[in-house]
Amino acid sequence: MIAPPAVDAELAIRFADHLLRGDDPFNALTWYRLGSFLSEEPRPGAELRAAWCYELGSRYDAAEAAYIAVGERYPQLAEVTGWRAAMASRAAGRVGMARVYLQEISLDAPGTPAAARAQWMEALLAIEQGQDAYGAAHLDVGGAYAARSAETLARLQAPYRVVSPTGAGVMSAVLPGSGQVYAGHWGDGVMALLTTAGSGALSYTLLRYGAEEDRGWAKTAGVSFGTLSGFFWASEVLGAVRGAQRANRLSRSHHLDEVFAAAITPDLEVSAEAVDTSAWPA
């Protein structure tokens, strides 16, 4: 009987690298962790790529924690782990925490290309949080980012569609549903018009029938539907205001997506996979 080959740290890590190149981060993570466990020496590259596997698998909380742990054990990787922790935190929706990580890079290595890159990205994330004045003031870090900053500021200042919440409310007060249509919500506008007009027409019909035929129940029902129609009308005014506000948030989000798509180019990326730690001493 032939014994299976023994799995050592080197074999496990090489197999994990193969899985990662094959776009299988979940299984690669298992083998990186096994390789690190079997190794008698520190394996900074394997640990870093294990954290990268968490991020590639959209497990952003775990990735952030893993990056911070690797950075604490291997100060040589502080720039990479700080940047990647920021990106994982941003992907998880914690933009404020991402800015903290980037600020730490700037403070740890002032005047370096890494600090300039971190400052520039932190300014962009400030704009993403709605702090436009702060972001615009800190976006221009000079040097290699001068031209990029000017282009990004120009894109940020480019006009995009904004609707007036007050105008939408007034329009729906005059004609139910028109404010929603103005805000771009055609389906909501049509439903608002049909609902309000329908209840109003039914109320009028019942009141008229009750008056002509002296039917008390019809008068009562007409008043009830009239009250309901007024409630619908008032709610549609509020809905138009909120619809306009939602439309403006979406317009801003789409505008920022376009700005960031042009600003965050591949040369800014700090990939955990590409870091060569093979020559480092244990």
Side-chain angles (χ1 to χ4, degrees):
M1 181 176 179
I2 301 176
V7 176
D8 59 10
E10 292 293 340
L11 181 60
I13 292 173
R14 285 202 302 270
F15 185 57
D17 288 338
H18 171 74
L19 291 171
L20 185 58
R21 288 192 295 270
D23 196 23
D24 188 2
F26 290 106
N27 286 318
L29 172 63
T30 300
W31 285 91
Y32 279 130
R33 295 176 66 178
L34 176 61
S36 298
F37 174 77
L38 293 175
S39 178
E40 297 180 358
E41 299 178 350
R43 297 283 181 168
E47 294 180 41
L48 179 62
R49 291 193 290 278
W52 177 244
C53 288
Y54 281 123
E55 186 178 356
L56 291 176
S58 300
R59 298 170 63 182
Y60 300 118
D61 292 340
E64 181 182 347
Y67 284 131
I68 296 306
V70 172
E72 290 176 349
R73 281 195 295 272
Y74 309 104
Q76 307 97 316
L77 285 172
E79 176 194 333
V80 178
T81 56
W83 180 277
R84 292 260 48 96
M87 297 302 100
S89 185
R90 181 196 177 206
R94 296 186 296 273
V95 179
M97 195 66 231
R99 290 178 60 190
V100 171
Y101 291 133
L102 294 171
Q103 289 169 355
E104 288 178 352
I105 295 174
S106 302
L107 293 174
D108 289 342
T112 64
R117 179 173 57 238
Q119 289 170 16
W120 197 78
M121 180 62 74
E122 193 266 328
L124 278 179
L125 296 189
I127 294 170
E128 187 175 17
Q129 280 191 302
Q131 300 178 17
D132 292 13
Y134 172 93
H138 292 77
L139 193 61
D140 188 4
V141 296
Y145 293 90
R148 191 192 297 259
S149 298
E151 293 173 0
T152 302
L153 283 172
R155 291 191 180 95
L156 281 170
Q157 294 165 359
Y160 59 93
R161 185 175 186 268
V162 177
V163 296
S164 169
T166 301
V170 171
M171 290 177 67
S172 279
V174 175
L175 178 63
S178 60
Q180 283 87 338
V181 172
Y182 163 64
H185 305 298
W186 286 82
D188 291 347
V190 172
M191 287 300 299
L193 178 60
L194 293 177
T195 302
T196 307
S199 60
L202 182 59
S203 173
Y204 173 76
T205 301
L206 288 169
L207 287 172
R208 183 174 179 179
Y209 174 76
E212 291 176 351
E213 302 296 332
D214 194 23
R215 296 288 192 269
W217 66 267
K219 294 178 183 179
T220 302
V223 171
S224 298
F225 276 102
T227 303
L228 185 62
S229 179
F231 172 76
F232 283 151
W233 202 325
S235 66
E236 297 308 338
V237 172
L238 180 60
V241 172
R242 290 180 174 174
Q245 293 172 339
R246 184 169 67 253
N248 288 340
R249 288 195 297 269
L250 287 174
S251 292
R252 174 180 167 82
S253 177
H254 292 156
H255 176 62
L256 290 180
D257 286 344
E258 294 176 356
V259 172
F260 288 174
I264 305 177
T265 52
D267 64 292
L268 280 172
E269 188 61 272
V270 181
S271 171
E273 187 181 11
V275 176
D276 181 15
T277 60
S278 59
W280 290 6

